[in-house]
Amino acid sequence: VFVSLGTVASDNPAFFRTALAALASRPWRAVVATGRADPASLGPLPAGVVARPHVPQLAVLRQADIFLTHGGMNSVMES
């Protein structure tokens, strides 16, 4: 699973905490690109989840089966 709100809407720790809560009950591996939200502000991460401000989106998308995004133009085109 790849979670990203892109560069414009990324300053939303509450969204990321909600996504992490949903991922906590799943046996999936996930990458969360937090953008301007500090990964430390999200609290403890569930097992199998990595959170970083920025990741190589195209490389992550090649491995992801699910992309949770805000639907911005770059995210849609790249996915």
Side-chain angles (χ1 to χ4, degrees):
V1 176
F2 178 37
V3 180
S4 174
L5 292 180
T7 55
V8 176
S10 65
D11 193 14
N12 192 338
F15 167 82
F16 291 115
R17 283 192 289 273
T18 300
L20 290 171
L23 290 169
S25 64
R26 305 287 186 211
W28 303 332
R29 291 180 298 152
V31 174
V32 179
T34 63
R36 293 183 307 237
D38 181 3
S41 72
L42 306 180
L45 299 177
V49 176
V50 173
R52 301 283 186 272
H54 304 284
V55 301
Q57 181 160 300
L58 290 175
V60 174
L61 283 170
R62 281 194 275 291
Q63 300 296 314
D65 293 317
I66 299 170
F67 185 20
L68 178 59
T69 179
H70 70 304
M73 184 57 75
N74 282 337
S75 296
V76 170
M77 295 301 292
E78 289 178 354
S79 62

